[in-house]
Amino acid sequence: MSVTFGAFHLVSKMYGRKACQLVREFSTGEKGQLTPFNSDLFDQVIAECSQHYLELQALIRKMQEKELDVQTTKNEDHYGSLIHHLSLVRNKRCLMSYLYNRAEIMRNLIWKVGPVLPQEIQEKLSHYEEEYVKKHYASLKSYESNIDLELAVDMIPPKDPYIKVRVLDDIGEGIVLSDDKIANFTRHSMHFLKRTDVEQFISRGLMEELTG
């Protein structure tokens, strides 16, 4: 019993701190907002996982070399391997939680502003997250094309499909609209366009709807 208590006491004191710190960093941030991807801490947790795996395999081989039953033997090597196994699982769950919750925020942003996230958001993403955003949006558009339905529009139909907007920042020239017409969105210019063509620019703060 003392070996068991000592082993798990060791787990609580030595292992899992970095992984826990990674999750805590996300959970203490503002809800729905991304913090910069902590690649340094993330890589440290990955390295710790690799070390746990090596230690686990070494202890199992040691027991096998002694011709001991790995499943039933309860000695120091068994409890040592248990420590590394549980620490590995815990680290993995923390890593997955960190990635999943960040991905959930990214998916929500894609629904609101489209594939081109604001620059201040892009700066907080890892390279793999940038690729995830592109592939997720491509999958979404492919699905919409297959069912011939645009899912990102408002659930409540607008009274008028056309709205008047003012461009707040230079967006560019030669923008292709849904009816294949070309629009030039220069700063301070005003347009009367389909709501679905300009919603993504409004949500990104590049346009404003003019009412009245």
Side-chain angles (χ1 to χ4, degrees):
M1 182 64 69
S2 61
V3 174
T4 306
F5 174 80
F8 285 98
H9 181 67
L10 184 62
V11 172
S12 64
K13 295 295 289 184
M14 294 183 62
Y15 300 135
R17 289 181 177 178
K18 293 177 181 178
C20 193
Q21 181 182 342
L22 197 63
V23 175
R24 189 181 299 112
E25 179 182 288
F26 176 86
S27 63
T28 54
E30 186 177 350
K31 186 176 181 180
Q33 299 295 319
L34 283 175
T35 56
F37 187 87
N38 195 333
S39 57
D40 182 58
L41 187 57
F42 190 90
D43 290 344
Q44 289 183 47
V45 178
I46 292 292
E48 187 176 293
C49 287
S50 298
Q51 188 60 38
H52 282 307
Y53 178 77
L54 293 175
E55 295 288 350
L56 173 61
Q57 292 300 307
L59 288 170
I60 290 177
R61 284 196 301 270
K62 183 178 178 182
M63 295 177 68
Q64 291 173 336
E65 289 170 358
K66 294 180 180 179
E67 299 184 352
L68 299 174
D69 190 325
V70 176
Q71 300 296 325
T72 59
T73 302
K74 306 297 181 183
N75 61 5
E76 64 275 12
D77 293 328
H78 163 80
Y79 290 112
S81 62
L82 184 60
I83 287 174
H84 291 295
H85 169 71
L86 293 178
S87 298
L88 182 59
V89 171
R90 182 185 182 187
N91 279 2
K92 179 181 177 181
R93 292 180 66 182
C94 289
L95 290 170
M96 292 301 295
S97 176
Y98 183 72
L99 293 176
Y100 175 83
N101 283 283
R102 288 179 62 86
E104 187 173 39
I105 293 176
M106 285 181 271
R107 290 194 297 270
N108 290 336
L109 286 170
I110 292 171
W111 280 97
K112 294 178 181 178
V113 303
V116 183
L117 301 181
Q119 184 63 33
E120 63 269 19
I121 298 296
Q122 294 186 40
E123 293 173 353
K124 298 177 181 179
L125 305 182
S126 69
H127 169 71
Y128 297 107
E129 289 177 328
E130 292 174 354
E131 290 298 312
Y132 173 78
V133 168
K134 295 176 184 177
K135 291 180 179 179
H136 180 77
Y137 182 77
S139 297
L140 176 61
K141 300 310 289 184
S142 176
Y143 179 69
E144 289 180 338
S145 177
N146 290 336
I147 64 175
D148 193 25
L149 182 65
E150 190 170 355
L151 301 175
V153 298
D154 291 335
M155 294 296 291
I156 302 175
K159 295 180 179 180
D160 192 331
Y162 287 84
I163 60 174
K164 189 175 184 180
V165 297
R166 177 190 288 118
V167 180
L168 301 178
D169 199 359
D170 285 323
I171 297 175
E173 300 181 353
I175 306 296
V176 180
L177 305 178
S178 59
D179 55 5
D180 293 329
K181 292 182 178 179
I182 304 298
N184 296 326
F185 294 145
T186 57
R187 188 176 184 183
H188 299 317
S189 62
M190 292 186 288
H191 306 267
F192 189 66
L193 300 168
K194 286 184 179 179
R195 181 183 295 272
T196 52
D197 283 332
V198 297
E199 277 184 331
Q200 61 167 311
F201 300 117
I202 294 174
S203 62
R204 288 162 56 190
L206 299 175
M207 287 184 180
E208 65 176 352
E209 180 178 358
L210 300 177
T211 59

